[in-house]
Amino acid sequence: MSDGWVEIARWGIPAAVVFGATALAVVLATWLVRRARRSPRARAAADAQRAETGVALVALDDAVEELDLEVALSGALYDGGAPASLRRALLLARHTRDDAFALLRGLEPDAHPTEIARVARLLRGRIDAAAAQIAAARSEHSAWMGAHRSAASQVEDARARLDAFRAELGDPEALLADLAGRVDASEIDAAKRAADDATRFLADAESRLTDAAERAADPTRSALPVLAAAERSLRQAQEAARILEEQHRLVTDAERAVGDEVEAAREALRQAERMRADLEPEEADRLGRAVREVTAAIDAVEPEARRRPTHAVTVIARARDRLDLALGDARTAQQRLRGARTALPGTLAAARAAVARAETAASHANADARVRLSSAQAELAAARSAQDPVTALDGARRALRHAEDAIALADYDRSIGR
């Protein structure tokens, strides 16, 4: 027996040492790889990939807007039907852009660098493919236009669209004057900028079409680049007019609702005070502080609510959110439902106004601002379609926060001159 144990020891101990050392090396190597993947260098590399993908996504987002313009123009030229290649490219680009925004929205800020890099590579491949299809479709369209449409006929069609839009736009100053007589100037700043933009872009389109008409009459000059610039200015004028109408509607809706919003907030405060009496001392103190803060906010905003309705509605929406957080689980399901029903209209109005501001602010911003805007738009759409008031209210509040984040990111982007 002793000889057997000696033999086992003679062969077993070296084998155990070898296998043990190998296992330790494997464990150590695995640990080192994982550490390297989480190292500051790996994080920086992954963030750089994400930033590059963000730049490509912004370019794709802008290209979608340009292609949308071209498809609209083609629809007018081809009796309502854009070329199939353009339509296919636009559909692919829209799906790619929307999916990319959704993936970036779902990517956690503290995600593993490997996951960030994987998503960035995946998106970059899809974005590049969509961009290539857009370029090919636009090249095909330009060749078709050169072969089948004269520059003079294109200028004539563009002039007809411009005249139709001018008649539809009417007098932007009339909408501003309607608001100026009722609300504070700060309430119509966005509407005024939109009206100025609509007038300026319309004048620019008019000037460029005049230039294009002169070029079309001269066989030695090309009218197409100037015509494209005129179409772009016309589209920008139409977008500015949409923003003007939306801002007018937002202020008007807020005017109608602000009185009810103030009263609903006061009633919510009264209910909170009644509930406070049944809470434990610590919870009652916490709720009491929140009630005082919300009361102060409502007291401050109420005197100017009629003159600054959208501001007041936003302040009240934030105050109701603060009060609900303080109430926590103190309310019954029925009380939460009643509270959500009264808070929902004002919060939706505040979210709509914030999203409208974010759309303007983020139109020339980086990917981070556009991702937040995309989140705000998605949450607002879900809130407006939700049947349950509590779910809708939560979504509207998230939309408001995302929109405000998008505005802040866009403002920062602008401040550092990107």
Side-chain angles (χ1 to χ4, degrees):
M1 291 292 294
S2 59
D3 291 342
W5 283 110
V6 169
E7 188 67 18
I8 291 172
R10 191 164 66 88
W11 291 101
I13 291 174
V17 170
V18 169
F19 285 118
T22 302
L24 181 61
V26 169
V27 170
L28 181 61
T30 302
W31 179 79
L32 288 173
V33 168
R34 288 179 177 176
R35 183 177 180 183
R37 288 178 177 176
R38 290 184 179 274
S39 68
R41 180 179 295 179
R43 169 66 62 178
D47 288 343
Q49 280 187 284
R50 177 175 178 169
E52 290 174 2
T53 301
V55 171
L57 179 56
V58 167
L60 179 64
D61 194 22
D62 292 339
V64 168
E65 296 301 318
E66 289 290 320
L67 188 60
D68 189 45
L69 166 65
E70 196 158 344
V71 169
L73 171 60
S74 299
L77 293 177
Y78 308 147
D79 298 325
S85 59
L86 283 182
R87 292 198 305 274
R88 285 195 301 269
L90 180 58
L91 286 173
L92 172 65
R94 278 179 175 164
H95 284 310
T96 301
R97 177 198 62 184
D98 295 345
D99 288 347
F101 278 131
L103 278 173
L104 288 179
R105 285 201 307 268
L107 195 60
E108 297 295 333
D110 59 346
H112 195 287
T114 302
E115 176 63 10
I116 294 174
R118 185 191 69 79
V119 172
R121 287 194 300 272
L122 173 66
L123 292 182
R124 188 59 186 268
R126 293 177 180 177
I127 289 169
D128 289 346
Q133 185 163 350
I134 287 175
R138 295 185 72 178
S139 176
E140 179 185 336
H141 178 228
S142 296
W144 192 97
M145 292 283 286
H148 296 85
R149 295 283 299 183
S150 70
S153 66
Q154 293 179 53
V155 171
E156 183 179 345
D157 290 335
R159 175 76 65 183
R161 290 193 298 280
L162 186 145
D163 291 341
F165 170 67
R166 180 183 285 111
E168 179 185 339
L169 177 63
D171 181 14
E173 294 300 324
L175 283 178
L176 294 177
D178 176 55
L179 292 177
R182 307 194 311 266
V183 300
D184 186 76
S186 62
E187 290 283 301
I188 61 173
D189 283 344
K192 188 175 187 308
R193 286 194 299 271
D196 291 342
D197 286 345
T199 302
R200 175 166 54 86
F201 285 127
L202 189 60
D204 184 70
E206 177 76 39
S207 173
R208 291 180 185 276
L209 280 180
T210 299
D211 185 14
E214 293 174 357
R215 289 170 177 262
D218 184 349
T220 65
R221 306 170 73 193
S222 173
L224 294 181
V226 181
L227 180 61
E231 290 289 350
R232 187 173 297 107
S233 292
L234 179 56
R235 172 58 67 91
Q236 289 171 315
Q238 292 170 331
E239 176 61 16
R242 184 195 66 79
I243 293 172
L244 171 60
E245 292 177 359
E246 175 69 7
Q247 290 296 324
H248 183 274
R249 182 164 53 252
L250 287 171
V251 174
T252 302
D253 290 348
E255 276 187 294
R256 296 191 185 113
V258 71
D260 291 339
E261 290 302 313
V262 170
E263 179 52 36
R266 296 287 188 196
E267 177 58 28
L269 286 167
R270 288 191 289 268
Q271 291 178 357
E273 284 286 11
R274 290 193 292 269
M275 294 172 61
R276 186 182 167 202
D278 299 327
L279 297 178
E280 295 296 328
E282 185 177 345
E283 294 179 352
D285 288 344
R286 185 169 58 251
L287 179 56
R289 288 193 296 271
V291 166
R292 288 190 293 274
E293 290 173 6
V294 171
T295 300
I298 303 302
D299 288 344
V301 80
E302 187 173 13
E304 59 178 4
R306 293 293 177 184
R307 291 289 295 170
R308 301 183 66 192
T310 61
H311 170 73
V313 166
T314 301
V315 169
I316 293 169
R318 292 197 190 105
R320 295 289 300 271
D321 190 9
R322 169 76 179 88
L323 187 61
D324 283 354
L325 285 173
L327 285 167
D329 297 329
R331 296 173 298 174
T332 65
Q334 192 63 32
Q335 287 171 330
R336 282 196 296 273
L337 184 60
R338 284 199 300 268
R341 283 174 176 160
T342 61
L344 182 58
T347 306
L348 277 174
R352 282 176 52 214
V355 168
R357 293 194 304 273
E359 286 172 344
T360 301
S363 60
H364 301 291
N366 62 14
D368 290 336
R370 298 192 193 197
V371 167
R372 290 302 180 96
L373 171 60
S374 174
S375 297
Q377 291 168 329
E379 292 287 3
L380 180 58
R384 296 175 79 168
S385 62
Q387 299 299 313
D388 176 46
V390 176
T391 301
L393 180 61
D394 288 343
R397 285 171 173 168
R398 287 192 296 270
L400 178 58
R401 289 193 293 270
H402 287 315
E404 290 174 341
D405 287 346
I407 294 169
L409 287 168
D411 289 345
Y412 175 75
D413 195 41
R414 194 178 302 109
S415 71
I416 62 176
R418 283 186 184 172

